[in-house]
Amino acid sequence: MSVLDGKVVVVTGASSGLGAAVVRLLGSRGARVYGLARDPDRLSEVFAEVPHGRWRVTDLADAGACADAISDAVAEFGRLDCLVNVAGAHTMRHTPSVTDEQWHRDLAVNLNGPFFLCRAALPHLLETAGNIVNVASTAGTQGQAYSAAYCAAKHGLIGLTRALAVEYAHTAVRVNAVCPGGMLTPQVSNFVAPDGADFDLIMRTASPRGMSQPAEVAKLIAFLAGDDASAVHGAVYAADNGRSAD
């Protein structure tokens, strides 16, 4: 029997890329998965392969929508064991060209949404000795060119992870983070460099081993989500094919 058998897990960014890989893997290991994303067609496609799964179209930048999503997941399945914050967005821009709207939207998706969901989920996770897995990025541990808002948000997400780990140190709740490097996802395949970008700076983020497959990173997330990781709390795991080793 899988350590995830019967666990109720909310996964954001569930319609594509790493989020979809996490949904499929957790579902295959017996978890009851509640997926959140903005594209109903792609959500429907992903969850057609997931037994006992449910999904909801949700704007993670909206605090009320995040609270409602957690409430609906608990109402649907009767409990909550894990929250996996995968959803994120990254558009490279020259910093002087970043508009106020772009700055606020980048932080809303990459940092505010995970906070809103953690805030709503924690009372339920305290009841089940559950856990949170936040998906940050190598951009949360180092600077990356043309990515001021994204780096700020992902550094913030690691800070949020560590703050919650300390706050809940005397409970059974666990909070951890995963920092993927480059992955073969739609975000990469749709990548567009800003005009006049210095590609030497962009390629400083590349791993000598190349990009990971989403399914590879999903396995690390599944480990942290399950009871086999009961001793892991407040950790920040690099999943970057060795990029952070040098």
Side-chain angles (χ1 to χ4, degrees):
M1 180 179 293
S2 166
V3 295
L4 290 167
D5 215 37
K7 298 284 190 184
V8 176
V9 186
V10 170
V11 179
T12 73
S15 63
S16 68
L18 178 58
V22 170
V23 167
R24 293 185 177 106
L25 181 60
L26 297 185
S28 73
R29 295 187 179 182
R32 294 175 288 173
V33 185
Y34 193 88
L36 308 179
R38 291 184 297 172
D39 189 322
D41 294 332
R42 290 195 296 184
L43 277 167
S44 181
E45 290 177 10
V46 171
F47 277 83
E49 307 171 29
V50 181
H52 314 299
R54 299 289 185 274
W55 55 267
R56 174 189 174 99
V57 174
T58 306
D59 180 1
L60 300 180
D62 185 306
C66 290
D68 288 346
I70 295 296
S71 295
D72 284 355
V74 174
E76 179 70 36
F77 293 116
R79 59 185 290 139
L80 179 62
D81 297 284
C82 182
L83 166 66
V84 183
N85 283 310
V86 180
H90 182 196
T91 301
M92 287 189 169
R93 305 180 183 95
H94 293 282
T95 297
S97 72
V98 175
T99 67
D100 291 352
E101 181 180 1
Q102 289 167 339
W103 173 266
H104 291 305
R105 183 65 188 179
D106 285 354
L107 265 65
V109 172
N110 293 300
L111 179 58
N112 295 357
F115 169 75
F116 297 147
L117 288 163
C118 288
R119 181 176 65 184
L122 278 162
H124 303 287
L125 296 174
L126 284 166
E127 294 178 0
T128 60
N131 71 91
I132 296 168
V133 183
N134 288 321
V135 177
S137 167
T138 53
T141 60
Q142 63 186 45
Q144 294 186 2
Y146 316 116
S147 303
Y150 187 69
C151 283
K154 291 301 188 179
H155 275 71
L157 187 54
I158 291 174
L160 173 63
T161 300
R162 289 173 167 155
L164 294 178
V166 173
E167 182 173 348
Y168 289 91
H170 294 162
T171 76
V173 168
R174 297 183 296 109
V175 188
N176 295 291
V178 173
C179 295
M183 288 183 293
L184 295 171
T185 67
Q187 184 165 282
V188 168
S189 60
N190 296 328
F191 165 77
V192 177
D195 291 342
D198 183 335
F199 273 86
D200 287 339
L201 295 179
I202 292 175
M203 292 307 296
R204 288 175 62 178
T205 66
S207 165
R209 288 185 164 187
M211 292 193 179
S212 303
Q213 294 290 341
E216 295 177 297
V217 180
K219 291 175 184 177
L220 174 56
I221 293 170
F223 165 70
L224 293 172
D227 294 338
D228 282 349
S230 58
V232 184
H233 179 55
V236 179
Y237 278 81
D240 62 3
N241 263 333
R243 172 63 188 87
S244 56
D246 61 10

